[in-house]
Amino acid sequence: MKKTLLATALFAGLAITGTANAYQTEVGGSYSYLDPDHGDGVSQFGVNGTYYFNPVQTRNAPLAEAAFLDRASNVNAQANYGHNNGVKNSTYGIGGEYYVPNSDFYLGGNVARNEIKLDHSSAEKKTTLYSAEVGYLPAPGLLVAVGAQGYDTKNGDDGVDPTLRAKYVTQVGQHDVNLEARGVFGSDNNKQYYVGGDYYIDKTLSVGADYTKDKSIDQNQWGLTAKKFFNENLSVDGRLGFGDDYNTYTVGASYRF
């Protein structure tokens, strides 16, 4: 019953349309629940924020894609925390995106720290995660970027491998579509693939699907997504994920100003 109610809440949309205008800051929060076929569930909470160097002009774009289509340079930060069955798992990081003025070039990067600790024990695992990329926008709404992604575990493994990413926002008929793909081409400790897409029913409401494969944790998952803006400032989103032996349920909300 609990799962049914959560799934229903994720995709319950209201047909409310707002008038878009500029914003410069966005903050958000999320809750994620991982439900394995065998064993106890795992909960995790997250917060994030993004500051844009200049006000983002939403124009007539889908509200969820406004910053990308406006080529809005920014700095951002995020943190996630979970405490389940005596295990604390936290990740926090910062990043940035820079669209070079008067050109079609793009720079992006981030660095994060993941810490896993056991209650009543000195055992812990600390890993630094980092990535950087250089991109080019050959056409309106299209970004292609190459870069590198690495990890460094304290008293453990480390590595860095090449990445390739593409994002394309365009119109199909009377509706907007977002298509994305990303790959990390490394060893099994650092090999990841992602493809996803969103279909905009209108400028405020989207539904989508994605597929993720992560060899570092030997998992792959299909997902269904939805996002709704109730006005130019407030949005809610959700995702249902279906893995081989587990499901995930995620809800979130964001506010722009």
Side-chain angles (χ1 to χ4, degrees), residues 21-223:
N21 54 19
Y23 65 95
Q24 197 161 0
T25 302
E26 184 166 4
V27 294
S30 64
Y31 168 75
S32 180
Y33 181 76
L34 186 149
D35 181 26
D37 292 346
H38 307 285
D40 297 330
V42 176
S43 295
Q44 191 167 62
F45 299 88
V47 293
N48 61 81
T50 303
Y51 176 78
Y52 298 95
F53 300 149
N54 296 300
V56 178
Q57 304 296 328
T58 57
R59 299 186 175 88
N60 193 38
L63 293 178
E65 305 294 349
F68 172 70
L69 293 175
D70 202 38
R71 300 188 180 188
S73 299
N74 65 83
V75 291
N76 57 75
Q78 58 280 324
N80 293 281
Y81 177 79
H83 190 184
N84 301 273
N85 303 314
V87 179
K88 295 179 181 178
N89 189 343
S90 59
T91 303
Y92 48 91
I94 58 173
E97 295 180 295
Y98 183 66
Y99 294 86
V100 181
N102 303 314
S103 81
D104 293 316
F105 289 97
Y106 162 92
L107 302 173
N110 63 73
V111 60
R113 178 84 159 184
N114 174 251
E115 298 183 356
I116 300 175
K117 299 181 180 180
L118 303 180
D119 290 350
H120 314 298
S121 171
S122 60
E124 63 180 10
K125 180 180 180 181
K126 297 181 178 181
T127 303
T128 299
L129 310 166
Y130 56 91
S131 68
E133 60 182 5
V134 177
Y136 186 72
L137 297 101
L142 175 61
L143 169 67
V144 179
V146 296
Q149 175 176 297
Y151 66 97
D152 185 355
T153 302
K154 185 177 181 180
N155 301 319
D157 295 333
D158 62 78
V160 59
D161 296 289
T163 65
L164 176 64
R165 180 170 73 94
K167 178 180 174 70
Y168 187 40
V169 179
T170 187
Q171 277 198 320
V172 177
Q174 299 299 313
H175 297 274
D176 297 284
V177 173
N178 170 52
L179 303 173
E180 298 187 41
R182 184 177 188 269
V184 183
F185 306 96
S187 65
D188 284 350
N189 288 334
N190 196 30
K191 182 183 291 184
Q192 302 167 7
Y193 305 103
Y194 168 85
V195 292
D198 301 291
Y199 178 79
Y200 290 90
I201 298 171
D202 58 33
K203 303 300 183 183
T204 71
L205 175 63
S206 67
V207 294
D210 60 55
Y211 173 74
T212 303
K213 186 175 184 66
D214 190 340
K215 294 290 290 185
S216 67
I217 54 177
D218 194 27
Q219 290 183 354
N220 60 85
Q221 187 181 82
W222 293 92

